[in-house]
Amino acid sequence: MYAENGFSAFDYCTLVGMLVGSSGIGFYIAYKGSKSPEEFLMGNRVLKTIPVSMSLLTSFTNAINILGFTGEVYANGMQISTVAFGPPLAILFSSIFILPIYFPLKLTSINE
């Protein structure tokens, strides 16, 4: 194992690529056309339960991956990869039991 101080060129390229890609997608969607808040935030309420549950799960696991997985792997190794078995079960559970209850209520957020 070797110690390295700071980012390497590859790390900077990866970071900048992720930021440019994310910003590009955001600008493309923002300037593609004027949309109502309902259409932009909720997909005009035409999505089925599986895509909605996958989107919710992705937004949750993305925050965890960015904030915690890298430090966990650095400290304890790759056994954290066993977490990959949970998301398919969560998608099935939420699409079968949770979303059919909340989706017809036409709520924008859980706080409503």
Side-chain angles (χ1 to χ4, degrees), residues 41-42 47-64 87 90-91 93-95 98-100 102-103 107-110:
L41 296 173
M42 303 297 291
L47 293 173
K48 301 294 181 198
T49 56
I50 296 275
V52 172
S53 62
M54 288 175 65
S55 173
L56 290 171
L57 184 66
T58 301
S59 62
F60 171 71
T61 57
N62 238 358
I64 291 173
I91 289 172
F93 180 81
S94 64
S95 64
I98 306 294
L99 285 174
Y102 285 111
F103 195 72
L107 302 174
T108 304
S109 71
I110 194 71

Side-chain angles (χ1 to χ4, degrees), residues 41-90:
L41 296 173
M42 303 297 291
N44 225 14
R45 297 191 189 271
V46 295
L47 293 173
K48 301 294 181 198
T49 56
I50 296 275
V52 172
S53 62
M54 288 175 65
S55 173
L56 290 171
L57 184 66
T58 301
S59 62
F60 171 71
T61 57
N62 238 358
I64 291 173
N65 287 338
I66 290 171
L67 296 175
F69 275 14
T70 54
E72 180 71 22
V73 169
Y74 180 77
N76 299 318
M78 285 297 293
Q79 67 265 23
I80 192 72
S81 63
T82 59
V83 172
F85 298 119
L89 296 174

Side-chain angles (χ1 to χ4, degrees), residues 1-66:
M1 192 169 191
Y2 65 94
E4 185 177 311
N5 294 332
F7 273 13
S8 68
F10 178 74
D11 296 327
Y12 283 114
C13 288
T14 303
L15 177 66
V16 169
M18 183 189 73
L19 293 175
V20 167
S22 297
S23 298
I25 292 169
F27 286 127
Y28 174 75
I29 295 299
Y31 293 111
K32 191 171 87 168
S34 61
K35 295 182 177 190
S36 67
E38 176 85 10
E39 185 179 356
F40 184 75
L41 296 173
M42 303 297 291
N44 225 14
R45 297 191 189 271
V46 295
L47 293 173
K48 301 294 181 198
T49 56
I50 296 275
V52 172
S53 62
M54 288 175 65
S55 173
L56 290 171
L57 184 66
T58 301
S59 62
F60 171 71
T61 57
N62 238 358
I64 291 173
N65 287 338
I66 290 171

